[in-house]
Amino acid sequence: MRGELKDTIKDEGSLFKEITMTVDLMKQMCDICDAGRLYSNDEDYYLKLKLNLRHAIDLLQREPVDADNL
């Protein structure tokens, strides 16, 4: 692993914490997109950004894949 996370992710618990913090940040960004759509002339940009964020959140919140059951 490279970058900042190589020092913070030591085990599954710390990985779960980082993922949870990322999802929380993305949810806050979705709220910002709602405000951006109200106050911006580029409503389409914020709509697409929110859809991409929601898709990423859905992927991050999926259940882990068990390689033994594939």
Side-chain angles (χ1 to χ4, degrees):
M1 194 172 295
R2 296 179 182 191
E4 265 183 53
L5 293 180
K6 72 177 180 181
D7 297 326
T8 61
I9 297 178
K10 304 288 187 213
D11 55 20
E12 289 179 24
S14 58
L15 176 62
F16 179 76
K17 179 182 173 189
E18 292 291 340
I19 291 171
T20 301
M21 289 171 49
T22 301
V23 169
D24 288 343
L25 175 63
M26 291 176 144
K27 288 178 181 178
Q28 291 175 33
M29 292 173 69
C30 285
D31 293 339
I32 292 169
C33 287
D34 291 336
R37 287 178 60 204
L38 291 174
Y39 300 110
S40 172
N41 293 332
D42 196 357
E43 193 174 318
D44 192 46
Y45 168 80
Y46 288 102
L47 180 61
K48 289 178 183 177
L49 179 58
K50 184 175 180 179
L51 290 174
N52 285 334
L53 287 165
R54 291 298 322 157
H55 182 67
I57 290 168
D58 291 343
L59 289 173
L60 285 169
Q61 291 182 327
R62 276 186 168 180
E63 290 294 320
V65 176
D66 184 2
D68 295 333
N69 292 329
L70 291 178

